Each structure stands twice: as structure tokens, then as C-alpha cells.
Amino acid sequence: MVVVRRRWFQAPWEFREAFLVTAMVIIAGFFVEYLGAGGGIPLLHLPVNAIALVIFALTVLGAGLAFRNSAVVQWLGGIPLGLALIFAIAVLSLIGGIVPQGEAVAGSLTAMLRINQIFSSWPFLLTVLFFLANLGLGLSWKLFPFSMKNLQFILFHAGFWLALSCGIFGSTDLQRFVVPIEIGKANNLGYSMNSDTPQQLPFSIFLQNFSLEEYPPQLLLYDPQNDKLLVERSQAIIQVRRGVTASWKGVEVEVVDYLPYGLRGSDGEPQAADRKAGMPFAKVRINSGGAPFEAWISTGSPMLKPDAADLGGILLIMVPGSPKSFNSAVSIQGENGEQKTATLGVNQPLSFGGWKLYQMGYDEKMGKWSQLSLIEVIRDPWLPAVYLGLFMIMAGNILFFWNGIKHSEVA
């Protein structure tokens, strides 16, 4: 029996041709980058990128319908090439995850091939375009003529095509800025991670108030001579509240009284104070081998030094608790006169004029006394289309499982 081995590119093309063509696409992309000294792809913005995407989609759809009987077009829309392109995208994404993405030494091979910015490079773009063409051709053959039995396939693949294409083509229109605002002031300038030059926004944000809630403070032992916490002697971090006890080697502490917000009065004794001005105070009873004694300790504030209890060269201190939540009461006014007042919190964004506003941070050195709030503002006009694609994928999956249940019941 004579085995005849299939020659390269002998019809029908299979996986080896798919992987070879995919490799050639990637190599061609790196060659273009090298010729352009790593300049990357041209950045298109609305409406140019939207027009380009529509033209690309119509071209793929038209080619799929007009040349559906062509062996080359069938291979371009076939499974072997699709799997090869998915593998290539995964490899390029892996490179982007391993190689630091950012600035590189000018003239280096990394910069010349744009490996340091792989997701905006020609190899990545060409691979994604070929994959979108592959996906679109397969989709066109299920769309026309339409049949209900193809609905699950259409929903899943059309949703995937929409989410991927809009995510890639629309990435250049994503705007992300940080707006620093002080209490009692307004700001309409945002700063991006890539530039120190502020960008004027189509609205201004006025910060009415900033508030921060902390977890209870904690008791720790501190060595002032060596300027370090005695972690080995205070493994258990004790959260302060009235009646709590703590025990370290040779040291026993009981919290007799606790003021979450206090200030020292004219007689030197801590008294309850306003939430905004006060700081935590704790009256502790200490037994460290000698006669028990009591002392007031405090966390201190940016304006006042903390109070500590001396245990013979070692200090019992109270450190502020970690932030529990922080919020900004803001008023927003757009250029067209639109106004909105709201409280921004972590995971509590606000929508305004096509922008999303998020509570991002504050002056951590000042803590709850911070007069500064950092608001992140994001605008992504392509996000609804991406969400639509994801919902279509979900609908396709639900229909797939529903059909599976129906078939199992029939069986």
C-alpha cells in the first residue's frame, strides 16, 4: 500500500497551512514595525474608526456571500484558521503579560518591534483583523439564508464579533483622567497617566465635603530606640474598644475607656469632640510587672502628636485603623448648564454627560482630615456596543443550554 503524502497548499487546506499563514501574518506585522521603527498603528478616533469598522464588516459580509463557494474563502472562514489565529492572539497576549508594557530604550529591538506595546502593534492588529474576518465569514454563511436553528450560533458569534471589534477599534476613544479637588473649590482639569499636561473637561466638579470612616484603631508595641514595631511581641493586633484586654509577654493591658472622637480639654483630660476634629483616645490599665497604672493614649493627627504609654523603654501605642469607606459630596456642572449633586463613594460611581465618575483616593497623609479628594472620570463611547455583544453571547449560551434541555427531555 502506497501512502501519498499531501503536498503543502494542496486542496483542501488544513491546519498546517493555517498555522503557516498565521505565522506569516505575525512576521509581516513585526516587519512593518521594524521598518517604522516601532511607531505602531495609526490611532483613529470617532467617527473615522467607526466608519472603518463598518466598511470592514460590510466587506467581510459581502465576500462571504459573494464567494461562499470559493475554496480559499471557505478556508479563510474555516475552523483550522480560526483556531490558529486564536492561538496566535493568546501567544501575543502572553508576550504582553510577560514583557513590561511601557517605555523601552530607544533603538532597542524591543522598541523597534514594539514588543513593549504589543497591544497597539501591527502584529496584534493584523492577527485580530484576520480573526475577525474568519469569524465574520463563518457568521455570514449562517445569517443568509436565515434559519431559527442557527439562532444560537448567530447570537454567540455575532456577540463575540461585536464585543471584540468594538473593544479593539474603540480603545482609542477611551478617556481616563484623575481630577484632584480641594474642599470648597471646583476643578475642570483632569490628568492622565501618560501626560503631565492637564486636559480640560466639559464639566467642572465642586467638592462640598470629604468624609472617611475608619476601622477601630489597634494596639501595638513600639521600640523608639530602633524605630520599629515589635511584631514578634505583638503578633495579635488588638482592635481597641471599651473592655478589651490584650496580653503580651510580661505585659497585660485593659482598655478602661474609649473615645472614638476626642480632644484634650483645658484640664488635659480627653473629652468627646466633633467627629471631624476629634481623634481616637483610649484609657488603658497596664500591668507590666510593677504596680498597675493607667494612662491615656491616642492615635494623634496631622496637627497633634500621638500619646503613648511608656513601658520602660518600650511604648504601647495606638495606630489608626485602616480606611473602611470614604466619600465625596460633589456638585457637577456641565458646559451646557446641566447640574447634578451627589455623593461619590467607592464602588458607587456617578454618570454625567456620558462620563462615569468614581471616588478614587484622597490625601493619605492627612487621613480623615484630608482636604483633597481624587475623582477618576472615564468616558468610553464604545462601551454600550461591547456590553451589547456580551449580552448576545449570554443569550446564545442560554439558548444553547435550553436546546440541550429540550433535546434531553425528548430523548
Side-chain angles (χ1 to χ4, degrees):
M1 180 178 178
V2 179
V3 178
V4 179
R5 301 187 64 180
R6 189 178 67 86
R7 297 189 303 273
W8 280 90
F9 293 100
Q10 178 181 343
W13 294 1
E14 296 179 353
F15 280 97
R16 62 179 182 180
E17 286 85 4
F19 278 96
L20 177 61
V21 170
T22 300
M24 293 171 62
V25 169
I26 296 176
I27 292 172
F30 280 123
F31 184 69
V32 172
E33 285 291 354
Y34 186 80
L35 291 180
I41 59 178
L43 300 179
L44 305 179
H45 297 275
L46 282 173
V48 178
N49 50 358
I51 295 173
L53 180 59
V54 171
I55 293 174
F56 176 74
L58 293 176
T59 301
V60 172
L61 183 63
L65 297 177
F67 305 101
R68 64 189 311 160
N69 296 322
S70 168
V72 174
V73 174
Q74 289 181 357
W75 178 81
L76 286 173
I79 293 177
L81 182 60
L83 293 177
L85 290 167
I86 291 174
F87 179 77
I89 293 174
V91 171
L92 292 173
S93 300
L94 181 63
I95 294 174
I98 296 175
V99 178
Q101 300 295 289
E103 296 296 328
V105 178
S108 64
L109 187 61
T110 299
M112 295 285 287
L113 297 180
R114 206 175 176 80
I115 298 176
N116 60 309
Q117 299 182 55
I118 195 72
F119 299 109
S120 60
S121 67
W122 278 104
F124 187 79
L125 176 64
L126 292 178
T127 305
V128 169
L129 287 178
F130 266 81
F131 178 68
L132 289 174
N134 170 269
L135 195 63
L137 288 173
L139 180 62
S140 69
W141 301 328
K142 296 292 184 179
L143 279 172
F144 302 98
F146 177 78
S147 174
M148 283 298 297
K149 67 179 182 181
N150 296 328
L151 182 60
Q152 184 269 330
F153 181 96
I154 293 171
L155 284 173
F156 184 87
H157 288 77
F160 189 33
W161 198 96
L162 187 64
L164 179 61
S165 62
C166 291
I168 296 296
F169 277 73
S171 61
T172 55
D173 291 312
L174 174 64
Q175 294 177 282
R176 185 190 299 265
F177 302 102
V178 176
V179 183
I181 321 169
E182 295 182 2
I183 294 178
K185 295 183 180 180
N187 191 11
N188 67 340
L189 298 178
Y191 297 83
S192 69
M193 298 295 291
N194 302 322
S195 175
D196 294 330
T197 303
Q199 175 75 35
Q200 186 168 343
L201 302 172
F203 55 88
S204 64
I205 308 174
F206 178 83
L207 181 60
Q208 298 175 349
N209 189 33
F210 174 81
S211 60
L212 182 146
E213 184 179 354
E214 298 174 327
Y215 286 101
Q218 301 160 346
L219 293 177
L220 288 172
L221 296 180
Y222 172 68
D223 182 359
Q225 292 185 347
N226 297 308
D227 190 23
K228 66 176 183 179
L229 296 172
L230 300 180
V231 179
E232 67 279 3
R233 294 186 60 186
S234 54
Q235 294 290 343
I237 299 176
I238 308 301
Q239 289 192 342
V240 178
R241 62 182 183 275
R242 183 178 298 179
V244 74
T245 59
S247 179
W248 294 282
K249 186 179 297 185
V251 179
E252 294 182 358
V253 178
E254 178 186 359
V255 179
V256 179
D257 197 3
Y258 175 60
L259 295 175
Y261 309 102
L263 288 173
R264 289 193 180 275
S266 57
D267 58 355
E269 287 292 307
Q271 299 175 356
D274 178 76
R275 180 187 184 96
K276 185 65 176 178
M279 58 186 176
F281 275 90
K283 188 176 185 179
V284 293
R285 181 179 293 119
I286 303 170
N287 188 347
S288 58
F293 67 97
E294 294 183 353
W296 281 98
I297 61 176
S298 70
T299 60
S301 71
M303 293 74 70
L304 298 172
K305 292 182 179 180
D307 298 291
D310 191 351
L311 308 179
I314 301 300
L315 299 180
L316 175 67
I317 64 173
M318 186 166 61
V319 297
S322 57
K324 186 177 183 180
S325 64
F326 47 95
N327 304 280
S328 296
V330 298
S331 297
I332 311 166
Q333 181 166 350
E335 293 178 337
N336 58 356
E338 180 184 0
Q339 295 183 354
K340 183 177 287 190
T341 299
T343 298
L344 288 176
V346 178
N347 298 325
Q348 295 177 342
L350 170 69
S351 297
F352 184 86
W355 292 77
K356 282 280 191 179
L357 285 73
Y358 297 85
Q359 175 68 70
M360 180 181 182
Y362 57 96
D363 186 349
E364 296 183 2
K365 291 183 179 179
M366 294 293 291
K368 71 173 186 177
W369 293 276
S370 175
Q371 298 292 302
L372 175 72
S373 180
L374 301 177
I375 308 298
E376 184 178 40
V377 297
I378 300 175
R379 182 177 181 270
D380 188 358
W382 292 76
L383 194 59
V386 174
Y387 280 155
L388 176 60
L390 295 177
F391 285 131
M392 291 173 66
I393 293 173
M394 292 174 59
N397 287 332
I398 292 173
L399 189 58
F400 173 79
F401 286 112
W402 175 255
N403 289 333
I405 293 173
K406 289 176 62 178
H407 290 159
S408 65
E409 289 177 348
V410 172

